[in-house]
Amino acid sequence: MTKQRPRLSLRTGPVGTRILGFGSSTGNRVVTNHDLTKRLDTSDEWIRERVGIVSRKLADPDQSLVTMAIEAGSKAIADAGLSPTDVDAVVFATCTMPGPIPNAAAQTADAIGIRAGAAFDLNAACAGFSYALNTASDLVRGGSARRVLVIGAERFTDWVDWDDRANAIIFADGAGAAVVGPADEPMIGPVSWGSAGDLAHLIYLREGRYIFQEGQSVFRWATTQVAPVAERAVEAAGIQLSDIDALIPHQANARIVDAIAKRLRSKGAREDMVVAKDIQHTGNTSAASIPIAIDHMRSAGELSKGDVMLLVGFGAGLSYASQVVVCP
């Protein structure tokens, strides 16, 4: 006689999700282009023209990756009007954790006061925040979590060869965070994501464990392949490019940002669409760059509640992801 299998139940969550709050933290040291010229064969004019950076924020010796994440995460929870006990999961995107264990998420959760919450790290490099945001949204919609703290954080100070003028001018340190919770309607759109592993050799760790990228090749890929990913995210969200109020791309390079915005405007995005240019004084913070940019823009009054934002992350892997999100 065949044993009858017991029926398993499934958790179900809300129809939609939304971002409840943002927070950020950056390195305490401001390093200008003129500061770098004391060590590198470069100039302020060359750096501005090449990547659009005027200054970047680097961490003090006592500012660890987790320390910055704790500050950003705490601010995001407060901005959401919640307490740490209201959060039941932490998804942490980073590619610069000094070691794989213990993970950054669990350490951050404990320090903030999130008790017994699910906590894990993921690595999609500069696309990490978008990957983590989608993961958090799915956790909430699937009923596995009620509110999720999403963190993107990097500390590149220890991963950059400061005698390599092509890469030392770009990277910086910081953390950005957002809290994802339930909503009566979708306010975080479906993700458009993917990878191009055949191009993984363009960004890698070379001898000495220093990050290195083939700048021109990455530039050509990003300026031609990223905008279509963003277009697919808009289509998946069921809206038009003309509905987008703000474009928040990963802050890799100001020229790449301009190229993406130009392509999207040629396809129907509005001329008055706000475009994030946080890289100018923050630098490239990889997985942290999108939430840091949003947090800074909200504080500056460049973003308002209800604005429709188009996020797009891209970087090592090569990995990429984009989604439409409503500003809290």
Side-chain angles (χ1 to χ4, degrees):
M1 185 175 184
T2 303
K3 180 180 178 181
Q4 187 169 358
R5 177 179 60 81
R7 297 187 68 122
L8 304 181
S9 61
L10 290 175
R11 290 178 176 176
T12 57
V15 172
T17 56
R18 64 190 179 107
I19 293 180
L20 305 174
F22 279 99
S24 67
S25 172
T26 56
N28 288 333
R29 291 189 295 135
V30 177
V31 178
T32 68
N33 293 342
H34 292 294
D35 292 331
L36 293 181
T37 63
K38 298 173 184 177
R39 180 167 183 162
L40 301 170
D41 180 17
T42 188
S43 68
D44 175 61
E45 181 182 16
W46 187 83
I47 296 172
R48 290 182 188 232
E49 181 179 337
R50 183 179 177 87
V51 294
I53 297 175
V54 177
S55 62
R56 71 281 296 139
K57 305 282 185 65
L58 299 181
D60 282 334
D62 62 347
Q63 274 188 297
S64 70
L65 180 82
V66 170
T67 298
M68 292 185 290
I70 292 167
E71 182 178 354
S74 298
K75 288 179 178 178
I77 293 171
D79 187 52
L82 302 172
S83 68
T85 55
D86 295 319
V87 178
D88 50 10
V90 179
V91 183
F92 198 123
T94 184
C95 65
T96 56
M97 188 63 180
I101 52 174
N103 70 23
Q107 296 178 68
T108 303
D110 178 68
I112 290 176
I114 301 169
R115 302 304 178 201
F120 60 92
D121 295 359
L122 64 79
N123 181 356
C126 305
F129 180 77
S130 289
Y131 269 67
L133 181 61
N134 181 70
T135 300
S137 179
D138 283 354
L139 286 172
V140 174
R141 287 194 305 109
S144 296
R146 178 70 176 171
R147 298 182 186 91
V148 181
L149 177 61
V150 180
I151 299 173
E154 307 288 7
R155 193 179 191 277
F156 277 106
T157 294
D158 301 324
W159 296 76
V160 170
D161 179 354
W162 292 102
D163 292 317
D164 173 11
R165 78 166 193 164
N167 291 284
I169 64 173
I170 300 171
F171 296 102
D173 305 329
V179 178
V180 174
D184 294 333
E185 62 178 287
M187 299 177 76
I188 299 175
V191 72
S192 167
W193 58 1
S195 63
D198 58 315
L199 299 177
H201 62 282
L202 297 182
I203 306 175
Y204 60 94
L205 291 180
R206 64 183 183 185
E207 187 177 352
R209 291 182 64 81
Y210 292 131
I211 191 167
F212 181 81
Q213 63 177 340
E214 299 287 350
Q216 290 302 313
S217 297
V218 172
F219 180 86
R220 285 192 295 270
W221 176 83
T223 54
T224 58
Q225 302 302 313
V226 172
V229 177
E231 291 176 59
R232 292 196 292 272
V234 172
E235 181 180 0
I239 63 174
Q240 306 296 318
L241 275 170
S242 58
D243 295 317
I244 300 299
D245 297 307
L247 171 65
I248 320 291
H250 161 51
Q251 302 292 288
N253 179 310
R255 291 190 298 153
I256 292 175
V257 170
D258 287 339
I260 295 171
K262 182 178 180 180
R263 164 68 183 261
L264 294 177
R265 285 181 171 130
S266 74
K267 294 289 186 173
R270 304 193 312 267
E271 287 298 320
D272 67 348
M273 176 181 67
V274 177
V275 180
K277 286 289 188 70
D278 196 60
I279 191 172
Q280 185 176 18
H281 294 292
T282 304
N284 179 342
T285 55
S286 187
S289 75
I290 289 176
I292 289 176
I294 294 173
D295 194 43
H296 288 174
M297 293 169 75
R298 289 177 75 216
S299 297
E302 297 176 73
L303 291 172
S304 302
K305 182 177 180 179
D307 281 351
V308 179
M309 307 183 296
L310 176 57
L311 318 185
V312 56
F314 51 92
L318 296 176
S319 298
Y320 49 86
S322 179
Q323 60 262 96
V324 174
V325 175
V326 177
C327 186

